[in-house]
Amino acid sequence: MKELSEYFGSEKYHDRTAKVLWDAAKKEYFVDMKRDGYSEIRSMSRHSERYAEDCAENFVMGYGEFGR
């Protein structure tokens, strides 16, 4: 997979990072999310690169389902 962008949390979410990845063989975006004690690579299925970027940003900022 090719890394397209990387996001970093700050302050309360300083331990979070997320990478937007492109799998050329599957023609699919993924988001690799990590924080202390947690790691997940989430498929973005049929969604766009922008959707994957939004997911990565939401994770590092603790928005929505990613809040503590």
Side-chain angles (χ1 to χ4, degrees), residues 6-68:
E6 188 169 16
Y7 297 79
F8 300 93
S10 64
E11 296 177 11
K12 180 174 158 181
Y13 302 107
H14 69 278
D15 62 335
R16 295 183 181 208
T17 62
K19 295 178 181 179
V20 174
L21 308 170
W22 170 249
D23 186 328
K26 293 183 178 181
K27 304 244 184 278
E28 187 175 350
Y29 294 98
F30 291 83
V31 178
D32 182 7
M33 300 174 279
K34 292 184 168 115
R35 73 168 188 244
D36 290 342
Y38 175 84
S39 180
E40 177 185 353
I41 296 179
R42 185 176 291 193
S43 166
M44 295 292 105
S45 187
R46 300 174 304 273
H47 293 290
S48 67
E49 181 177 358
R50 181 65 200 160
Y51 186 91
E53 291 169 342
D54 288 345
C55 178
E57 186 174 344
N58 288 344
F59 176 74
V60 299
M61 297 179 79
Y63 291 158
E65 70 176 280
F66 301 115
R68 286 194 177 164

